[in-house]
Amino acid sequence: MFGSYPVFLREMMLFRRRFLRLGYFFSAMFAPLLYLLAFGLGLGHRISIAGGSYLDFLLPGLIAMSSMNNSYTWIATSLTVGRLHFRTFQIFIQSPVSPFAIVLGEVLAGMVRGLFASSMILLVGFFLGSGLYFIPLFIPALLLNCFLFASLGVVSGLKAKSHEDTATFSNFFILPMAFFGGTFFPVEEMPRWLQFVIRLLPLAHTNKLMRAKCMGSDCLFSLAVLVIFAVIFFVISIHLVRTYSE
Amino acid sequence: MDRRQWTAFYLSAPPRLPLASVFGHMINIDHITKIYGAIRALDSLTLVIKQGEVFGLLGPNGAGKTTTIKILTTLSKPTSGRAAIGGHDVEKEPLAVKNIIGVAPQEINLDKELTAEQNLRVYGMLHRLDNLGRDIKDILELAGLSERSNHLVRDFSGGMQRRLLIARALLTKPNVLFLDEPTVGLDPQVRRQIWDLVRNLKENGTTVFLTTHYIEEAEALCTRVGILSRGRLIALGTPQELKGEVGGFVLEYQENGNTRYILCQSREEAHSLSQSKKGPIIIRESNLEDVFIKLTGERIGKAEQ
């Protein structure tokens, strides 16, 4: 447990170093802002979903998507490059810290990155005049979403045989999930068979929770799904670190 | 890098060795085999290294030197066989092993986007050092990098990065230090500095396990040398013993445009043999390269040429 702090601290030092280069910051925030402006402003006036404005619908979706993307990508890339190219990951393996501590440190770092991106979008949404009001499950759903996808980032970062592997996984799994998981339109608009598939994806449940106004049993089910995914990915990560061998 | 400074630095280290190993062997390698796909990187390697030894594993690239270090430092799991450091099994008690070792790998795996101080701080925290601030200051001074403490590592020269890498491995005052090809690509001056450093560590009783394919490095530093070829240990002993086994002297002569070698037991023997050779001849003391050629028919530096 204690050993997770230096692992986390190192990622934060690296994050800070990149953040100081402003170009990096803008390129990282570019995609979600583009979606927000293009869809939010372009479609926003014509469409209304569930009685609210489209911007109000879109904003939680973009927050879920960005928290997923940033938590996942940061950790998956950091581990793939650190393990295969710079070989800095090997320092953790050769240090007296437990696999649990290594994974926890990385996951917490990924969460910070995801929460940072989320808060940026929230800020922009606020200036665009979104009437987003906080609902009870917004924060736990966001935290779980970051935790879950940072853990998935660890799995992918440890399994990838090259940097391209991470990108491939991202294109075939993360990106479709962002589009079909209820980010831009309600899952209910899709054909029934596809809805069933979509409900197997964690991001769909995050989206649902972030927009839910009540705490019914349906929401508790979605929450349970996220917790189960988070636990599975976290446990797989620990297993991969424990059995790490070159 | 003054010897007294090193002694002072090391005296502040708490003893972390189990009693059994203080009187016994520091590194025990017992029939380790490592197979990658169809390649047998290590073939039943068995080796015992005592405390305070500077042991050199010598061999051409691809002989299995780095694989050996990876297994001993818990980075790689052997296909079969066992290994222990300070009495701790590397597979069953990895945390105990990691507590007493320091590793400077062949590739410089420092965070180049961080400063020297930040690199050392993260490493020291991973090892739960109590007086981290003071230890970092001391080790940077010993490595001659005090003034560069807050500079990004990517701006360091190759020699400075290598020094920082070794300094990081020494930060925890390890009982066993692993150096994988510590002087590859360094200019002679930096190489001498690293040699001095290893000699100082030896004075302080640290066990050093190093790999190299530089003959003169092994001869200059090591109390004992093992020669590895294609995953097998083909010779083991002090440099003197190994050279004595193949003959202490070498007669080099030219034949059909090729350099030929004859290993001789004495200078006189080499002299008398040289009488029948035409052209330029050289009589010299044998070195570990001759040992390697004798045993394998290949040169150690072959892969690089």
Side-chain angles (χ1 to χ4, degrees), chain B residues 4-28:
Chain B
R4 269 176 323 181
Q5 285 178 300
W6 276 111
T7 312
F9 185 70
Y10 262 79
L11 281 179
S12 60
R16 275 160 304 179
L17 280 179
L19 260 184
S21 73
V22 174
F23 302 105
H25 301 132
M26 188 56 94
I27 302 175
N28 261 297

Side-chain angles (χ1 to χ4, degrees), chain A residues 8 10 16 47-48 55 79 99 121-122 149 154 158 161 167 204 208 211 223 242 244 246:
Chain A
F8 173 76
R10 171 180 168 273
R16 187 166 153 263
I47 300 172
S48 138
L55 187 63
L79 283 182
I121 292 172
L122 206 57
F149 285 106
V154 177
L158 286 171
K161 290 193 171 60
K208 193 168 143 199
R211 294 183 179 123
L223 209 54
R242 180 164 287 135
Y244 182 86
E246 292 187 354

Side-chain angles (χ1 to χ4, degrees), chain A residues 60-78:
Chain A
L62 284 179
I63 290 173
M65 185 185 85
S66 295
S67 65
M68 166 180 79
N69 265 338
N70 280 277
S71 299
Y72 169 80
T73 310
W74 173 263
I75 294 307
T77 308
S78 167

Side-chain angles (χ1 to χ4, degrees), chain B residues 226-262:
Chain B
I227 296 181
L228 209 55
S229 170
R230 295 167 197 211
R232 299 180 74 97
L233 192 67
I234 55 170
L236 181 66
T238 65
Q240 293 309 322
E241 282 167 3
L242 293 179
K243 287 185 279 186
E245 275 172 30
V246 298
F249 292 88
V250 176
L251 167 65
E252 284 185 30
Y253 63 97
Q254 302 290 321
E255 191 177 81
N256 304 328
N258 294 318
T259 307
R260 308 266 177 204
Y261 305 85
I262 300 177

